[in-house]
Amino acid sequence: MIRLETHCHTRYSKDSLLLHSLLYIKCRLCHIDAIAICEHNNILGALKFKEYCSKRKNKVFVIVGEEIMTSSGEIIGLYLNEEIPAGLSCDETIDRIISQGGVVYVPHPYDEKRAKTVLSEDCIRLNSHRIDCMECYNGRNVDENYGIQQTRIADKYGLVKVVGSDAHTLMEIGRNYMEVKSVPLNSSEFRDVIKRCTFHTKPCIKLAHKVTKVAKLMKMIVKGNFNEIYRVINRKIKK
C-alpha cells in the first residue's frame, strides 16, 4: 500500500520554516510515498519541492497544491499548473481549479480556533456538486470534537472524506496520512484512490501551533512588517 499525505506546508508559507531537505528525509523515514504541498496562496513551494525530489534516487511523488484564501474562507486546489490569487470569490476560485483539471479540496470545514479561515457552509452547500473531497480530520485539530463536526459536514453534503495533515513543522510529518492502492499521478487517479483508502490519524501536537506562531513572527521581523506585528500584539492585549 501507498502512504499519501495531503495538505502540507514548507518555508514557502508565511507560518512555516520547514526546509525541503528535512521534509524529504522525514518523508523517507516515515515511508510517505506521495505528498501534497499546499502553501498559503502560492504554488512555488510545491514546485520547488517537486524539483528537489525529482533529483533524488528514492523518489517522493509531489502533488502541486495551493491553500487559497477566498472571500468566504480557504479552499485547496490540487494538481495545479498555475497559481490562483487570494481574495477571489469561492465560486471563481473553484472555477479556476476546475479549469486547470485540478481537485477541489476543502480543508478543516469546522475549527473554532481557525474560524476566520474556515470555508463558509453556504459556499460548501452551493458548491457541493463541484467539491471533490473534504477533510473529516485535520492534523492540527486541537479538540477531538472538531473532527466529529468535520465528519458531520462531509456526510451532510455527501462528500468524499479525506485526512489532512496540515503539517507546518518537521514533527508533524508522517503522523496523519491515508493508505491508498497506488500513487495518484493525476487528479482522476486521486479521486479514485481516496474512495477506497485507510485513514491513519494521531492527535494534534499542540507545541506545533506555538512553533508556527514563532515562525510567522520571525518572518514578519525579517520582512520589517512592524506595523503588522504591532496590530497582532494589540489584538492579543485587547483579548
Side-chain angles (χ1 to χ4, degrees), residues 23-36:
L23 174 57
Y24 173 79
I25 292 169
K26 189 68 183 292
C27 284
R28 298 309 304 161
L29 289 173
C30 295
H31 306 290
I32 299 300
D33 304 289
I35 187 168

Side-chain angles (χ1 to χ4, degrees), residues 77-91:
L78 299 180
Y79 298 91
L80 299 181
N81 302 306
E82 297 178 4
E83 190 169 292
I84 298 171
L88 302 175
S89 69
C90 169
D91 288 352

